[in-house]
Amino acid sequence: MTDKFTGYLIDAKAGTIRSVEIDRKDVLKSIYAHIGCTCIDAVRIGDHHVAYCDDNGLVDGLECFTQLADFPSPLAGNLLVTGVNEEGDSVSPTHSIDLVAGQFLISRAVFDPAFEHIDEPGIIGTRVAGFNIRIQQNRLTIIRLEV
């Protein structure tokens, strides 16, 4: 058995997923380092996978959030997906990165400006009168390492 195993890191801001190495000797420290926090929560993905996320991620200002298929709550910040063996230990995922990526959507608020026409003496043009807000959802882009 090697000292490392594979996980899938979801970078929510970039909208990407890639393989990363996790130190088997200190899994928790590796999870903290990869997702960039010191307090994690775990979300089960079926019987054999888990997504680790920042437990406090939803209380900070959000640029985006991640949605997991068939899971009701949004997840904030970076996520790390690993497999889970029969003993409950973190191991390499059994699903491909493509299959895991297909279970997540990144959601972002998009502000579309609403313009109003200005037709006053000496001024003809437009100005921003407000904003319409919508949610844009995107699938993850898979980053594959060149070998």
Side-chain angles (χ1 to χ4, degrees):
M1 184 182 293
T2 67
D3 290 342
K4 299 195 184 286
F5 65 94
T6 300
Y8 301 141
L9 179 64
I10 296 172
D11 183 328
K13 289 180 187 176
T16 61
I17 184 171
R18 64 183 171 92
S19 294
V20 294
E21 288 187 337
I22 300 166
D23 185 354
R24 194 177 304 278
K25 293 178 182 174
D26 199 342
V27 174
L28 190 58
K29 183 178 177 182
S30 288
I31 293 170
Y32 289 155
H34 282 300
I35 63 176
C37 70
T38 58
C39 186
I40 60 171
D41 198 2
V43 176
R44 295 292 298 203
I45 305 173
D47 293 332
H48 304 289
H49 294 87
V50 66
Y52 294 99
C53 63
D54 182 348
D55 190 45
N56 298 315
L58 290 173
V59 298
D60 296 331
L62 297 176
E63 294 180 34
C64 60
F65 60 91
T66 306
Q67 293 177 287
L68 170 61
D70 300 323
F71 188 74
S73 298
L75 305 170
N78 294 339
L79 307 173
L80 184 67
V81 177
T82 68
V84 179
N85 65 17
E86 294 78 23
E87 290 80 35
D89 298 324
S90 294
V91 295
S92 294
T94 57
H95 291 324
S96 70
I97 195 169
D98 299 87
L99 186 61
V100 171
Q103 296 181 56
F104 292 91
L105 283 174
I106 302 294
S107 297
R108 290 181 172 76
V110 177
F111 296 86
D112 294 317
F115 296 100
E116 67 181 2
H117 182 69
I118 304 170
D119 192 0
E120 299 172 3
I123 302 175
I124 298 176
T126 59
R127 68 177 160 222
V128 175
F131 292 94
N132 297 312
I133 303 170
R134 62 185 164 87
I135 299 293
Q136 176 181 323
Q137 295 183 316
N138 297 99
R139 293 275 174 210
L140 295 170
T141 299
I142 300 169
I143 298 175
R144 300 183 195 279
L145 300 177
E146 302 281 329
V147 181

